[in-house]
Amino acid sequence: MARAVTNRRKAIVTVAAWLIAIAIFFPIFWIVVLSFKTEGNAIKDPLEVLTSAWTFDSYATVQERSNYFRHFWNSVILSVGSTVLGLIIAVPAAWAMAFVPGKRTKDVLMWMLSTKMLPPVGVLVPIYLIFRDLGLLDSRIGLVIVLTLINLPIIVWMLYTYFREIPGEILEAARMDGATLRDEIIHVLTPMAVPGIASTLLLNIILAWNEAFWTLNLTAAKAAPLTAFIASYSSPEGLFYAKLSAASTMAIAPILIMGWFSQKQLVRGLTFGAVK
């Protein structure tokens, strides 16, 4: 029998949820506010910042100084390209682990996840030297490969979890009907796991979009995404809060909009198989 939830408990949970949401969203809100202020007003007390005049001067300056759309398209290509490549590799890998389990499946999964525990700076030098020798520095192809590799463990783990929720009898029935391995993965398994695959795709696009360490160290200008675009406004000569906030707002706006419109699909995918 389900336990009754009192109105007081509902109110407490609602208030706590709103407080957590405000705490998470406030830094983004403040960045947006500062982006519409002059440099002089941006460093004033919070109440003075809110009541001071609003202006688009910082956005105009940022656009004049940097080619925003070039950085934007680089971010789109890198995030979408690395995610699609990761899915192409991860779907067969997750299928093999989920439906052809071996004694070492859990060990392999834990080993893959352990690679995320290594600080990126620990492998920066060898990867930099490899990219330099292969001519991949400051190239989209090189960054797509790196972003694919760093997010691949997460993609495999998520897809493995979703695939495990699909009854194996369905795949056995497809084999009895003459389905090949390729047909089984593409025409049977993948359509049934669409919510999980969609949430995996969205989450990894966000992770690749926000990746800063590798994009700052392996690019200079030609393949620089929006993370490098933001970093260019952090100057040792001074703190330019308004311009930095404008650049940050322009960088996070596309991914915030995408997250807003895809939140239902993301939640549906993350809870896929949670309720029997």
Side-chain angles (χ1 to χ4, degrees), residues 8 61 66 93 106 111 129 137 158 195 204 210 212 233-234 242 246:
R8 180 181 179 183
T61 303
S66 305
K106 292 184 178 180
W111 171 77
L129 295 176
L137 284 178
M158 292 183 68
N204 281 275
N210 293 329
Y233 287 90
S234 180

Side-chain angles (χ1 to χ4, degrees), residues 10 41 100 111 114 124 143 154 175 183 188 203 245 251 267:
K10 288 181 179 179
N41 290 331
V100 192
W111 171 77
S114 69
L124 173 60
L143 281 177
I154 296 176
R175 293 171 196 153
D183 294 333
V188 180
L203 181 61
S245 298
V267 172

Side-chain angles (χ1 to χ4, degrees), residues 165 268 270-276:
E165 300 296 332
R268 180 188 174 195
L270 292 176
T271 56
F272 177 67
V275 180
K276 294 290 186 181

Side-chain angles (χ1 to χ4, degrees), residues 17 40 86 101 130 166 172 196 204 224 245-246:
I130 292 172
I166 298 175
E172 292 178 4
N204 281 275
S245 298

